[in-house]
Amino acid sequence: MMSYFSDTSSNDDELETLRWYHYDMSRHAAEALLLSNGKDGSYLLRNSNEGAGSLALSVRANDSVKHFQVTRKSSGYAFGFNEFPSLQDFVSHFANQPLLGSETGTLIVLKYPYPWRVEEPSIYESVRVHTVMQAGRTERDLVAKAPSLGTKEGYLVKLGAFIKNWKQRWFTLNRNELKYFKDKMFDEPIRTLDLTACSAVQFDYSQERVNCFCLVFPERTFYLCAKSGVEADEWIKIIRWKLSQIRKER
């Protein structure tokens, strides 16, 4: 792995041996990765856009991801009010004192380091996170030039609007558009849902079916059912992440 810094000190070598150091991963990509594939308490270390010597610790807390600045110094690493002479001391501190407090007062537990080399989980079959692994690129570059950031596709069963029957449809999620087709081989969608108009996505228990969730739009609430609870949870998480990004841009 290439070093982000120009010098070849032992601190650089130590940083690059850290299994949960993700080098040039952007803030948006880290959020997508942890929300899609991590769990509460998953965390990773990455380079920050604040400049040379700045790192960021990204931690998943429930359905959001918090980011904390870690500063590299000649004497070691500064994190909050603490300084650590080495990464080993840095990691040992997390093991012995695993609670972090965000600016909102939320306590975040560091439980699961997310390694940069993993056996890809099954969720990657449907959710693909694209990152730009080039020095000098920013989050803005990533969003503009990676149209597939956080995509998903698969069959869902949808409740009709007027005739209340359930029909299987092929769904694709790309950027802020959720499209559904009569079947997978069709090129033209039956309808395209603009997620910028969606106010919420959540599990739904009002229908006489399992593994259902709903998307709330001003003119209609769409009821969808997946083949399993895990699949429904994947759809909810990736759409919820999309909605959070839309709100940030407003």
Side-chain angles (χ1 to χ4, degrees):
M1 182 186 295
M2 293 178 58
S3 173
Y4 180 73
F5 306 101
S6 59
D7 65 289
T8 56
S9 66
S10 59
N11 280 345
D12 287 334
D13 295 336
E14 186 184 17
L15 178 63
E16 293 178 0
T17 61
L18 191 66
R19 293 181 63 249
W20 41 280
Y21 171 50
H22 287 242
Y23 185 56
D24 253 357
M25 176 171 283
S26 75
R27 179 188 180 106
H28 285 180
E31 290 179 355
L33 183 68
L34 291 175
L35 288 173
S36 297
N37 304 327
K39 48 189 173 181
D40 190 20
S42 294
Y43 62 96
L44 59 85
L45 188 68
R46 57 186 176 81
N47 288 339
S48 171
N49 290 326
E50 297 298 321
S54 293
L55 303 169
L57 181 71
S58 299
V59 189
R60 175 169 173 173
N62 296 322
D63 291 326
S64 66
V65 175
K66 306 295 183 183
H67 306 275
F68 302 88
Q69 185 174 5
V70 179
T71 303
R72 292 199 59 203
K73 297 185 175 182
S74 58
S75 58
Y77 302 85
F79 180 80
F81 297 105
N82 300 308
E83 290 193 16
F84 308 93
S86 69
L87 286 172
Q88 182 58 50
D89 294 306
F90 185 56
V91 174
S92 297
H93 176 81
F94 289 148
N96 296 324
Q97 302 181 34
L99 294 182
L100 292 175
S102 72
E103 67 279 1
T104 60
T106 303
L107 289 179
I108 301 173
V109 182
L110 300 183
K111 296 179 180 178
Y112 313 106
Y114 198 101
W116 67 277
R117 280 185 176 176
V118 295
E119 180 179 353
E120 294 184 340
S122 59
I123 192 172
Y124 268 115
E125 296 174 2
S126 54
V127 178
R128 299 180 295 280
V129 178
H130 298 251
T131 61
V132 180
M133 301 298 286
Q134 298 179 19
R137 303 300 288 274
T138 66
E139 299 169 16
R140 191 170 301 172
D141 294 326
L142 175 64
V143 172
K145 301 188 178 183
S148 301
L149 180 62
T151 64
K152 185 170 174 61
E153 58 186 21
Y155 282 105
L156 294 170
V157 181
K158 185 183 75 68
L159 180 63
F162 303 106
I163 301 176
K164 300 299 181 180
N165 58 350
W166 295 86
K167 291 186 178 180
Q168 179 174 272
R169 296 292 184 237
W170 177 257
F171 282 77
T172 64
L173 176 61
N174 186 27
R175 295 194 64 93
N176 294 330
E177 291 185 341
L178 179 65
K179 299 179 180 181
Y180 60 89
F181 303 76
K182 187 174 181 179
D183 210 334
K184 185 176 182 179
M185 71 283 297
F186 285 79
D187 295 327
E188 292 298 321
I190 297 174
R191 186 166 182 173
T192 299
L193 302 179
D194 184 359
L195 293 182
T196 61
C198 181
S199 59
V201 57
Q202 60 193 23
F203 274 105
D204 181 84
Y205 305 99
S206 64
Q207 308 301 316
E208 294 181 356
R209 282 175 172 260
V210 295
N211 309 322
C212 287
F213 61 99
C214 64
L215 283 79
V216 181
F217 287 82
E219 75 284 357
R220 177 183 169 187
T221 297
F222 290 82
Y223 295 93
L224 309 171
C225 292
K227 61 184 178 182
S228 68
V230 172
E231 180 72 9
D233 187 55
E234 289 178 8
W235 278 103
I236 291 172
K237 286 179 178 177
I238 192 65
I239 294 174
R240 188 170 288 167
W241 176 76
K242 296 274 190 181
L243 298 183
S244 71
Q245 300 309 303
I246 291 170
R247 295 188 187 102
K248 288 179 181 179
E249 295 173 359
R250 288 176 176 170

